[in-house]
Amino acid sequence: MLYFIGLGLGDAKDITVKGLEVIKGCSRVYLEAYTSILTVGKEALEEYYGRELLLADRDMVEQEADEILKGADVSDVAFLVVGDPFGATTHSDLVLRAVNAGIQYRVIHNASILNAVGCCGLQLYSFGETVSIVFWTDNWKPESFYDKIKGNRDMGMHTLCLLGAGRKIYEPPRFMTVAQAAEQLLEIVQNPITEETVCVGLARVGADDQAIQAGSLREMASCDLGGPLHSMIITGHLHPLEVDMLRLFSGPESLKGLKMTGSSTYIS
């Protein structure tokens, strides 16, 4: 059996009881090492799980999948993913490869940023399509994600922006902050999004030092939410209850640009 096991968002203890039991009985345990990170490193996971973890980077998963699947038809192999196995990044290709090889698979789910983002008080069913924002360079400034944000906004939906990681060869990885994402967005914003549009910055969701800040896009460009991972939400139409929740994470003037339209909707 090939097991896809979600690790949750915080630390080693966020794994489910079911997931931990499976890990302890597997012949090999791979840790997917490119979609996301936990607040603890590989060594802390190995100590808590009591197992050696084999790092599986993007090249291995995409180009050397047969190595992961090797022997999974006669013994149990685990593939660990931060968050949920089919959350921000799906692993459908690995599933299809297993099925084509006659290997059974099973998924053990966990929390992902796609549902845990509700911690800021925005209602999950009011979110539209999720987008990814990547680091710009001097010669490469993709803006295709903006059309999706605009489409969500036009429908009154919130947009969860997953903030990218980047690295140059021989350099350690770097992770985009809310402030960096907001700075890039401010260069390309156009109606119906402005620098006064209410946004929410989130960092290390699920960890003990989780951080949330609400305010205008302009304010997000100067906020400091600490270490990775960061996410940002561009709000759409806001229910009064959502506004009350956002006030828990904002300064006294941060939401002053909100306007009421109708009896139960705010916009910025």
Side-chain angles (χ1 to χ4, degrees):
M1 181 82 73
L2 175 64
Y3 287 92
F4 293 83
I5 302 176
L7 301 184
L9 295 171
D11 55 30
K13 294 182 179 179
D14 278 5
I15 191 168
T16 63
V17 173
K18 183 182 296 183
L20 184 57
E21 289 177 346
V22 169
I23 286 174
K24 291 183 178 297
C26 284
S27 60
R28 296 192 314 280
V29 182
Y30 292 92
L31 174 62
E32 190 253 53
Y34 62 87
T35 295
S36 187
I37 60 169
L38 291 174
T39 58
V40 295
K42 170 176 172 283
E43 294 75 16
L45 298 181
E46 289 179 325
E47 180 179 356
Y48 189 73
Y49 301 159
R51 293 300 309 275
E52 176 189 4
L53 303 183
L54 305 172
L55 287 180
D57 61 16
R58 185 184 296 273
D59 287 342
M60 181 177 192
V61 175
E62 294 181 353
Q63 300 174 24
E64 303 173 23
D66 290 345
E67 182 65 26
I68 297 173
L69 298 176
K70 185 178 179 180
D73 55 337
V74 294
S75 64
D76 291 335
V77 174
F79 184 75
L80 312 185
V81 182
V82 174
D84 185 84
F86 296 96
T89 297
T90 70
H91 293 287
S92 301
D93 181 66
L94 194 54
V95 168
L96 294 173
R97 287 175 180 267
V99 172
N100 289 336
I103 297 169
Q104 298 184 74
Y105 76 93
R106 184 179 176 190
V107 181
I108 299 177
H109 293 285
N110 209 319
S112 81
I113 188 62
L114 297 181
N115 53 41
V117 71
C119 64
C120 70
L122 297 181
Q123 296 162 357
L124 292 179
Y125 54 74
S126 294
F127 280 78
E129 185 173 358
T130 298
V131 305
S132 295
I133 299 178
V134 299
F135 281 107
W136 284 351
T137 67
D138 292 339
N139 303 315
W140 187 63
K141 295 186 176 183
E143 301 179 9
S144 57
F145 64 88
Y146 190 78
D147 290 337
K148 296 179 181 179
I149 297 175
K150 183 179 182 300
N152 287 341
R153 176 87 171 172
D154 287 339
M155 295 186 292
M157 310 296 284
H158 311 315
T159 304
L160 171 61
C161 303
L162 304 177
L163 308 187
R167 68 186 301 171
K168 295 180 180 179
I169 297 175
Y170 307 124
E171 288 185 357
R174 60 188 179 125
F175 298 93
M176 182 179 286
T177 66
V178 166
Q180 290 170 323
E183 286 176 357
Q184 290 186 182
L185 276 170
L186 285 171
E187 291 189 31
I188 59 174
V189 289
Q190 54 185 294
N191 283 329
I193 302 166
T194 72
E195 65 176 23
E196 296 304 321
T197 296
V198 171
C199 301
V200 186
L202 306 101
R204 301 172 304 284
V205 171
D208 291 339
D209 63 345
Q210 167 181 295
I212 304 173
Q213 183 171 330
S216 67
L217 179 60
R218 174 176 41 80
E219 290 175 316
M220 290 294 104
S222 59
C223 74
D224 181 2
L225 297 182
L229 285 170
H230 288 202
S231 303
M232 186 168 69
I233 302 166
I234 313 296
T235 64
H237 293 170
L238 291 161
H239 185 277
L241 186 60
E242 292 179 301
V243 175
D244 288 343
M245 285 294 296
L246 291 185
R247 288 197 173 106
L248 298 177
F249 310 111
S250 66
E253 301 295 316
S254 294
L255 304 183
K256 66 179 181 180
L258 286 174
K259 303 177 182 64
M260 197 162 196
T261 62
S263 60
S264 61
T265 302
Y266 287 87
I267 60 171
S268 59

